[in-house]
Amino acid sequence: MRRYLKLYGIFIRTTFRRHMMYRSTFYAGIVGQWLSYGATFATLFIMVSKFEALKGWSADEVLLLYGLATLSYAIGAAFFYTPATDLGGKIRSGEFDGSLTRPLHPFVQEMFAGFNFGYISHFTLSLAVVLYALLKLEFGFSAGNVLCLSVMVLGASLVQAAGLIAASVMSFFTVNGNPVLDFLLFKVKEFTNYPITVFPYAIQLILTFLLPYAFINFYPASMLLGKPVPDGFPAVLPYLTPLVGIICFSLSVLLWCFGLRHYKSTGS
């Protein structure tokens, strides 16, 4: 394990140096992300404030939901977004075949080489929003609560990472494009902008048991704020985010390895 951590550190330093070759572009990208996501946060807050409450969730609580979703995405995507989205292009160009000849497992090789510093802006902005929302909601920042919050965010980050990894598997089978990636990352996840209780019961079931995106923010926020789960759902769900994250991540890695076993080089 120590060897892998040391090796990953070398990959990260190499990636950072590559970014610093074009510093203006790197910093401009961070500022651009701040402006883009900042506008989204502000728009969501203003819109929800007009309704005063959504199924018992106030504007500050909805802001916390979006902040948790963006924070966990920033962490998961910093490690796995680039490997997931670049996999199809590497397979088409033949570059991926190089990972098959190196001493590391191809999954480890791809993940190590894909750390994305661009998510610094996502992380800092979303962390600020989460802290702001919790302060407005008079959340007690005791050592135990902070530890609980950290564990929940880590579990949610694993769910986010699992979605990226699982969606990238389609690249092993479809050379031109990956519609699954767009569907899982941008379409379905839009439901997590709001409490799942505003959606029909069928959608609540899907977001909890089939595509467990509700564990990204809804259930962690429910536990932190002491809010009830949807009618008919097990009361233990808000406490399961870390376990769900580990299970989803493990299954996504196994799925990626399954795709690798069926990989056929394009011959590029």
Side-chain angles (χ1 to χ4, degrees):
M1 178 61 71
R2 182 180 299 177
R3 172 177 174 267
Y4 282 108
L5 291 175
K6 183 179 179 180
L7 186 60
Y8 195 36
I10 294 173
F11 273 96
I12 290 178
R13 288 195 297 272
T14 302
T15 302
F16 181 73
R17 289 170 182 168
R18 186 168 64 247
H19 280 300
M20 287 299 98
M21 293 178 64
Y22 307 97
R23 295 188 181 186
S24 297
T25 302
F26 177 70
Y27 293 133
I30 290 178
V31 173
Q33 292 290 350
W34 258 85
L35 294 174
S36 175
Y37 276 86
T40 302
F41 277 121
T43 301
L44 180 65
F45 182 77
I46 293 171
M47 182 179 67
V48 176
S49 296
K50 295 296 183 181
F51 292 97
E52 297 184 357
L54 288 176
K55 288 289 184 176
W57 288 72
S58 68
D60 290 323
E61 291 170 339
V62 173
L63 188 66
L64 175 63
L65 286 178
Y66 194 70
L68 287 173
T70 309
L71 179 61
S72 59
Y73 177 73
I75 297 172
F79 294 93
F80 298 102
Y81 179 82
T82 299
T85 56
D86 286 357
L87 182 61
K90 286 186 174 182
I91 290 175
R92 288 192 298 272
S93 67
E95 183 181 352
F96 177 75
D97 290 357
S99 295
L100 303 178
T101 63
R102 298 189 176 102
L104 290 173
H105 187 278
F107 178 81
V108 177
Q109 170 67 36
E110 289 298 313
M111 299 307 122
F112 276 22
F115 188 83
N116 192 327
F117 282 93
Y119 284 97
I120 291 175
S121 57
H122 292 65
F123 178 82
T124 54
L125 177 61
S126 55
L127 179 61
V129 170
V130 167
L131 294 177
Y132 168 81
L134 289 174
L135 286 171
K136 292 278 288 183
L137 294 167
E138 300 181 351
F139 178 76
F141 284 93
S142 64
N145 284 344
V146 171
L147 177 61
C148 181
L149 173 63
S150 301
V151 171
M152 289 295 163
V153 170
L154 180 59
S157 300
L158 289 175
V159 175
Q160 298 270 23
L164 287 164
I165 295 169
S168 71
V169 174
M170 185 59 64
S171 299
F172 287 118
F173 304 97
T174 59
V175 177
N176 295 316
N178 186 351
V180 175
L181 193 65
D182 180 70
F183 175 73
L184 290 180
L185 299 187
F186 304 110
K187 302 302 182 184
V188 176
K189 280 177 60 176
E190 289 183 2
F191 288 103
T192 64
N193 291 348
Y194 308 97
I196 65 170
T197 48
V198 305
F199 302 113
Y201 188 72
I203 300 297
Q204 297 177 29
L205 287 173
I206 291 173
L207 294 176
T208 299
F209 299 108
L210 184 58
L211 296 173
Y213 283 160
F215 289 94
I216 290 174
N217 57 356
F218 178 77
Y219 289 119
S222 296
M223 194 210 69
L224 294 171
L225 301 176
K227 302 188 75 71
V229 299
D231 293 337
F233 283 64
V236 72
L237 288 177
Y239 303 93
L240 297 183
T241 295
L243 178 61
V244 171
I246 292 172
I247 293 173
C248 288
F249 185 81
S250 301
L251 290 176
S252 70
V253 174
L254 292 175
L255 185 61
W256 198 95
C257 292
F258 169 80
L260 178 64
R261 289 196 297 271
H262 291 77
Y263 167 68
K264 296 179 181 179
S265 176
T266 59
S268 301

